[in-house]
Amino acid sequence: MDIKTAIGKLITSRLMKTKQEFRNFEMAIGFLKENDFKSFIPENVCAFDDKTEEFEAMYDLVHLIEKVDNIDDKEYFNHIIKSFKYMIPNAEEWAEILIGRILKYKSGLKLFISTLNHAEKNDQEIVISFVEKLKSDSSYQYKEAADLILKSSSNN
């Protein structure tokens, strides 16, 4: 199996409605854990779906994407920022989860903001809309980090 085949298996089995789809999804996750797929993050996020039957298996994909090399890596943030547009409309909840996890990661936040400020305008707007939604949906959990991103984006 190669990386593109594994990603194809993730995407075609993402709803995990059958045992075979679940096995295919898990097998693809296992393969990707053993290989460098950072440049394929935009393709990987296409495997997220808010209608999935197996949330825990989908969290394996969240952890896999977070594990890519190092979350303090600008290249990682470039790929993830470009990826959110592929999560609309089928995986907006998963996009919020990924962004929320970035907001909680204090040591990588400055690099994320810097990378976001240099991203394409459309990608910035998509991330900002998710950040605004997370901020409005939570009492305080994301407020400080969200405010930093929103302030930075308004200065940009």
Side-chain angles (χ1 to χ4, degrees):
M1 181 178 339
D2 62 15
I3 290 175
K4 288 190 179 219
T5 302
I7 293 168
K9 284 186 181 289
L10 285 178
I11 293 169
T12 59
S13 60
R14 69 182 177 260
L15 295 180
M16 293 177 265
K17 290 185 175 187
T18 67
K19 287 181 182 179
Q20 185 61 46
E21 285 181 341
F22 179 80
R23 281 193 295 271
N24 287 344
F25 192 89
E26 288 292 304
M27 183 176 63
I29 291 283
F31 176 83
L32 291 171
K33 282 181 182 176
E34 303 299 322
N35 292 278
D36 179 21
F37 67 93
K38 185 188 321 185
S39 62
F40 293 94
I41 290 175
E43 290 87 349
N44 273 298
V45 300
C46 293
F48 285 108
D49 198 301
D50 292 338
K51 295 177 187 155
T52 188
E53 299 284 325
E54 297 288 340
F55 291 99
E56 289 162 15
M58 199 60 76
Y59 266 103
D60 288 344
L61 182 56
V62 169
H63 297 298
L64 179 70
I65 288 172
E66 288 177 334
K67 182 182 171 208
V68 174
D69 280 348
N70 185 343
I71 199 161
D72 290 326
D73 181 349
K74 185 175 182 170
E75 184 182 2
Y76 165 80
F77 284 133
N78 274 323
H79 288 302
I80 199 76
I81 288 166
K82 290 177 186 177
S83 299
F84 290 115
K85 63 186 161 220
Y86 302 114
M87 298 177 81
I88 300 169
N90 295 328
E92 291 183 24
E93 292 174 23
W94 290 104
E96 287 178 26
I97 289 168
L98 286 171
I99 290 174
R101 293 170 74 92
I102 291 169
L103 294 179
K104 288 181 181 179
Y105 189 69
K106 301 269 189 243
S107 64
L109 191 58
K110 186 175 180 181
L111 181 58
F112 178 75
I113 291 170
S114 171
T115 308
L116 180 62
N117 287 338
H118 292 93
E120 291 181 20
K121 193 70 170 165
N122 184 50
D123 292 335
Q124 287 178 13
E125 290 170 356
I126 290 167
V127 171
I128 295 303
S129 70
F130 282 121
V131 169
E132 288 171 337
K133 184 170 183 339
L134 280 169
K135 182 181 174 188
S136 70
D137 288 351
S138 65
S139 55
Y140 66 90
Q141 185 175 12
Y142 303 109
K143 184 178 179 351
E144 185 179 332
D147 285 343
L148 286 172
I149 290 172
L150 297 173
K151 180 181 177 191
S152 176
S153 71
S154 67
N155 292 335
N156 192 8

